[in-house]
Amino acid sequence: MPHRFALVTGASSGIGAAFARALPAETNLLLTARNAEALTRAQQALSRPGRTVEVLAADLTTDDGRTALIAKAETLGIDLLINNAGVGAFGAVIANAPEDERATVELNVTAVTVLTRALLPGMIDRAAAANRRAGLLLVSSTTAFQPVPYLATYSASKAFLLSYGEALATELRGKPVDLLVLCPGATRTDFGRGTGFRVARLPGADDPDRVARAGLDALGRRTVHVMGMAKRTALAPFLWSRHTAAGGLGAVLAVFDRGGRFGRRTDA
């Protein structure tokens, strides 16, 4: 059953734009990115009779941008959240501009955490009331599985998304929501433009439309989807051990949570 209203972040280009194109025509869209002109072009291309396509130009590295997007998404009653927007600086950490390092964490980590926490409860409530399922898709990366020098902050942020998504999927077990962490490899996008490291030029770089379709197909079937059969096969034992560990820890810690001991801030 197609989702009723999808929010796609980073929707002006690359994988985000591919998600917007790949979603069924029955699914209304809320598209966000910083590039207002590109969003308007996407809105015009994707609009059709009976379909609503809303756009919001917002900088999700800022509190103001995130707050504006949350308010609009809540008004529209989204039931599919695709956290796709991401950025990363290529180079040694101490050589990269401090503002670029901070922007990577703000967009790849903070924005995902803030949007998910703000929007997911309403998505679940609406899905339960309508006897449907909501969807949450986090775009991570194959760099999440190992430290990557010269992409240190970027790969660490993608590792956060992988761990966050796996843990959240365990917490949401039994709720009417499907969660997927999508891990693309090198993809033919604008990532790396201006840094001297163009991912799109790497041998075997994937097509963003293929990545988006694979993500939508995997949503509701598994928790983590790694692009590329060889990589997926090689990582299968590792992912299974993480899945088993998360399930076991979740079962134990849920007992404490039901007792009211969790759900409050803990300081270590």
Side-chain angles (χ1 to χ4, degrees):
M1 181 181 298
H3 293 93
R4 191 187 70 83
F5 221 121
L7 164 57
V8 183
T9 69
S12 62
S13 64
I15 297 173
F19 271 119
R21 292 191 295 269
L23 283 162
E26 301 91 333
T27 300
N28 299 312
L29 301 173
L30 170 57
L31 309 178
T32 189
R34 289 185 298 180
N35 189 328
E37 292 183 4
L39 287 175
T40 299
R41 290 194 296 271
Q43 183 181 39
Q44 293 169 347
L46 295 167
S47 294
R48 54 184 53 85
R51 186 190 211 187
T52 299
V53 180
E54 299 272 354
V55 297
L56 179 68
D59 183 354
L60 298 184
T61 67
T62 68
D63 284 332
D64 287 346
R66 295 187 286 254
T67 299
L69 180 59
I70 290 166
K72 191 169 185 70
E74 285 284 66
T75 299
L76 296 172
I78 67 160
D79 60 349
L80 174 60
L81 171 58
I82 300 179
N83 278 308
N84 162 79
V87 70
F90 176 74
V93 169
I94 61 173
N96 288 336
E99 58 269 25
D100 290 342
E101 291 291 289
R102 176 166 183 157
T104 299
V105 176
E106 288 286 353
L107 185 58
N108 299 9
V109 175
T110 305
V112 172
T113 306
V114 170
L115 293 178
T116 300
R117 177 60 186 86
L119 297 174
L120 192 57
M123 291 166 58
I124 292 173
D125 288 346
R126 287 188 292 272
N131 196 27
R132 297 169 63 97
R133 294 191 69 79
L136 173 62
L137 201 153
L138 311 177
V139 179
S140 181
S141 166
T142 53
T143 65
F145 296 99
Q146 69 282 310
V148 183
Y150 301 97
L151 282 173
T153 306
Y154 175 80
S155 63
S157 72
K158 295 301 184 177
F160 169 86
L161 291 183
L162 176 63
S163 181
Y164 178 70
E166 289 175 305
L168 187 55
T170 297
E171 293 178 5
L172 295 172
R173 190 172 295 158
K175 304 287 187 183
V177 58
D178 300 314
L179 186 153
L180 178 75
V181 182
L182 178 63
C183 298
T187 307
R188 293 193 292 274
T189 68
D190 288 337
F191 182 85
R193 175 181 287 182
T195 67
F197 179 70
R198 292 298 301 274
V199 172
R201 296 175 182 171
L202 291 175
D206 216 334
D207 177 73
D209 289 298
R210 180 176 176 274
V211 172
R213 288 193 300 269
L216 293 175
D217 288 344
L219 182 63
R221 300 182 180 183
R222 58 187 67 91
T223 300
V224 180
H225 182 71
V226 180
M227 293 298 298
M229 180 61 72
K231 290 178 183 176
R232 192 156 57 246
T233 302
L235 289 168
F238 173 71
L239 288 170
W240 179 248
S241 67
R242 288 171 64 97
H243 174 76
T244 303
L249 283 170
V252 172
L253 296 178
V255 175
F256 290 90
D257 190 36
R258 284 194 295 272
R261 297 174 59 181
F262 287 5
R264 298 187 298 273
R265 176 178 172 181
T266 58
D267 295 309

